[in-house]
Amino acid sequence: MTAIHWFRRDLRLADNPALLAAAADGRDVVPLYVLDDALLARSGPPRRAYLLRSLRALDDATGGRLVVRRGAPTEVLPEVARQVAADEVHVASSYEPAGRRRDEQVRTALEAAGAALVETGSPYAVAPGRLRTGGGTPFQVFTPFRTAWLAHGWRAPATGPAPRWAQGVRSDGLPDEPALDDLDLPDAGEAAARERWAAMLDDGLAGYADDRNRPDLHATSRLSPALKWGEIHPRTLLADLARSRSDGAAAFRSELAWREFHADVLFHHPTASWQSLREVAPDDSWVTAEREAAALEVWAAGRTGYPFVDAGMRQLRAEGWMHGRLRMVTASFLIKDLHVAWQRGAAHFMRWLVDGDVPQNQLNWQWVAGTGRDAAPYFRVFNPVTQGRTLDPDGTYVRRWVPELRGIPGAAVHEPWKLPRAAAPDYPERVVDHAEERKVALDAHARRSR
Ligand SMILES: Cc1cc2nc3c(=O)[nH]c(=O)nc-3n(C[C@H](O)[C@H](O)[C@H](O)COP(=O)(O)OP(=O)(O)OC[C@H]3O[C@@H](n4cnc5c(N)ncnc54)[C@H](O)[C@@H]3O)c2cc1C
């Protein structure tokens, strides 16, 4: 007997309930990944390259048995099921809108071929949609969601015998990586994720509660790409966190709860991936198309003249990853200082982030924009100078990413315009005045609220 395990966002062998379900009753398992060009086209080179590296690691972990097929899942899955005489295709459920649509189409195509799509587990500790308020409605606000999420709890990590891989199934192999120029991506794959988590438990968790907003300190786990691709499951992390009563463990659990909250909000409001959940500024408050293109260009290149913003944007271009606080500061700058709608910035992030993930990216952008369900109020405008001075007090982070400013010592690096031009002759002038643009944004909001 043979079953297919269709890997999607669960690129790991450990703690994988869907894989165990495929291998149950002594079945041989075909470990399958479908490279769907339509989906790949939407990812930028960093995320495509990271995915290919993660698949290579998965192939190694299966002893070279990973079967890669190129094509549309609705065609590939019935075809492979027929070829290997499998009547079950096992998956972890998808919850984001495009994944749900795809899975319904695949289910129908498989049924026509005499096979079933069997769903077990999800990329979350608690499946999106499961938790409800006392009144039976979806949660709108994070804190009560987290309380209900903690009270609900989650299963222990799944364990079972190693699967027996089916032999001799043709694979198209993995394509070459896209050109990455100078990009330095984080290590991909399950083993790298486990190592990163072990290091976090050993010496990261203790300082996490205090230092997680400090980009100069490397104080966060950098597990977001691993969680995005399912190289490690949040259940595994939560089981380890349960052994600690520290503030760091509680703070980390809370961040994982945000991840689950966003997935839950998107499950109930599928249009939130592109539409504001509420309008906070009138339509005419955004820049014209022509000025928008220029604004996006300087922002994306890290040449706004605000060092903290520019450092974040340059980290993104160099690593395909950006510290979480910088994601907030750079997003706020695009929306409230440059008056560009959040969807444009979210699209840029999705193109460049190796952890680019529809629920997390789009709902976090809505949080910053003030348009989300439980969002920062619109009048919370991040000040790029005070954020920099507080969270990068010695300017180390800025100097790491903005070479033109390396000659300026200490916190003065956050306001180069106060120094003689010769201190940083190659660094751009500020494109806007933050105080003025903040006022423009707040006025627009006030007009909308009237
Ligand atoms: C504008 C914007 C866009 C974002 N886009 C993404 C994205 O595409 N993919 C993504 O995974 N995260 C996104 N985030 C959330 C967050 O910034 C990253 O998950 C986090 O910075 C990743 O670094 P880390 O793994 O070191 O985090 P840690 O501080 O170590 O946190 C541990 C884990 O908790 C989760 N987490 C932490 N903060 C958040 C948060 N605000 N929302 C949801 N989950 C969180 C992540 O899974 C993270 O890996 C975005 C945030 C903002 C403000």
Side-chain angles (χ1 to χ4, degrees):
M1 284 195 314
T2 301
I4 295 171
H5 179 75
W6 178 19
F7 284 101
R8 295 107 63 92
R9 289 194 38 194
D10 58 335
L11 304 183
R12 67 181 184 281
L13 301 186
D15 187 9
N16 190 332
L19 178 57
L20 292 172
D25 304 325
R27 284 186 292 254
D28 285 354
V29 177
V30 177
L32 176 70
Y33 191 87
V34 182
L35 273 178
D36 180 359
D37 288 326
L39 212 64
L40 283 185
R42 275 184 252 148
S43 305
R47 203 154 71 260
R48 279 211 303 279
Y50 186 93
L51 168 64
L52 293 175
R53 289 180 193 183
S54 189
L55 289 173
R56 247 171 232 118
L58 185 64
D59 186 38
D60 287 349
T62 58
R65 291 278 151 63
L66 184 68
V67 174
V68 177
R69 292 284 179 92
R70 287 192 94 130
T74 43
E75 287 164 22
V76 170
L77 283 151
E79 184 186 295
V80 180
R82 264 193 297 268
Q83 284 168 359
V84 302
D87 60 2
E88 287 183 1
V89 174
H90 289 260
V91 290
S93 301
S94 268
Y95 282 92
E96 66 277 18
R100 281 157 72 187
R101 267 195 310 277
R102 176 204 54 205
D103 285 357
E104 278 322 300
Q105 290 162 357
V106 168
R107 186 188 308 284
T108 308
L110 279 172
E111 272 163 11
L117 186 72
V118 184
E119 301 186 37
T120 312
S122 79
Y124 304 99
V126 179
R130 179 151 318 149
L131 299 175
R132 300 270 171 165
T133 63
T137 54
F139 283 96
Q140 314 275 355
V141 179
F142 171 69
T143 309
F145 172 87
R146 184 182 54 194
T147 305
W149 181 77
L150 289 167
H152 179 277
W154 32 81
R155 290 172 195 268
T159 53
R164 202 174 55 233
W165 306 118
Q167 313 239 356
V169 185
R170 179 181 67 76
S171 173
D172 293 341
L174 288 167
D176 291 338
E177 272 182 21
L180 289 178
D181 301 325
D182 291 335
L183 254 142
D184 186 13
L185 299 185
D187 290 342
E190 181 175 8
R194 292 229 162 215
E195 262 175 46
R196 204 167 296 136
W197 178 233
M200 187 70 192
L201 284 174
D202 277 354
D203 54 30
L205 216 48
Y208 183 76
D210 290 336
D211 296 336
R212 66 182 190 282
N213 289 325
R214 290 276 304 269
D216 54 337
L217 295 183
H218 297 296
T220 66
S221 69
R222 287 183 168 239
L223 276 169
S224 49
L227 286 163
K228 147 78 197 188
W229 294 109
E231 297 165 334
I232 198 163
H233 194 278
R235 201 174 30 229
T236 310
L237 311 183
L238 288 161
D240 289 334
L241 292 171
R243 286 189 271 281
S244 165
R245 293 187 167 275
S246 67
D247 290 349
F252 201 94
R253 217 172 3 247
S254 188
E255 297 302 342
L256 291 176
W258 271 109
R259 180 175 181 271
E260 308 244 336
F261 175 64
H262 288 147
D264 189 72
V265 172
L266 188 63
F267 176 78
H268 290 292
H269 307 280
T271 57
S273 52
W274 287 110
Q275 259 171 35
S276 296
L277 284 165
R278 55 202 169 102
E279 294 302 332
V280 288
D283 288 345
D284 64 4
S285 61
W286 307 111
V287 282
T288 58
E290 196 183 318
R291 284 182 54 208
E292 180 184 275
L296 274 166
E297 200 179 311
V298 285
W299 175 78
R303 296 189 61 77
T304 66
Y306 282 90
F308 204 47
V309 172
D310 291 345
M313 296 309 294
R314 294 194 201 186
Q315 180 179 26
L316 177 63
R317 295 293 277 262
E319 298 192 328
W321 187 87
M322 194 199 296
H323 186 277
R325 176 52 68 126
L326 271 299
R327 297 187 198 203
M328 292 177 190
V329 171
T330 55
S332 176
F333 192 84
L334 184 73
I335 300 164
K336 293 170 190 172
D337 288 67
L338 299 178
H339 314 295
V340 174
W342 67 263
Q343 289 90 337
R344 308 283 175 277
H348 178 78
F349 269 29
M350 279 306 280
R351 192 165 168 71
W352 282 90
L353 282 171
V354 286
D355 62 26
D357 182 44
V358 169
Q360 306 316 325
N361 191 54
Q362 310 307 94
L363 271 297
N364 268 296
W365 272 90
Q366 294 227 34
W367 183 86
V368 177
T371 59
R373 274 284 174 253
D374 181 5
Y378 190 79
F379 49 80
R380 177 166 187 201
V381 181
F382 284 86
N383 181 319
V385 176
T386 45
Q387 287 285 314
R389 282 186 166 275
T390 313
L391 300 170
D392 180 28
D394 186 43
T396 311
Y397 176 78
V398 164
R399 278 187 298 279
R400 189 180 305 146
W401 293 112
V402 188
E404 307 97 288
L405 296 173
R406 283 191 187 144
I408 304 177
V413 79
H414 291 295
E415 293 171 284
W417 52 88
K418 291 190 171 166
L419 302 172
R421 187 81 193 124
D426 300 327
Y427 185 66
E429 303 275 356
R430 286 172 290 174
V431 286
V432 291
D433 180 318
H434 171 70
E436 276 171 26
E437 301 310 327
R438 174 176 181 277
K439 194 168 171 316
V440 171
L442 295 185
D443 287 349
H445 180 54
R447 272 198 291 137
R448 168 83 202 182
S449 317
R450 274 202 289 272

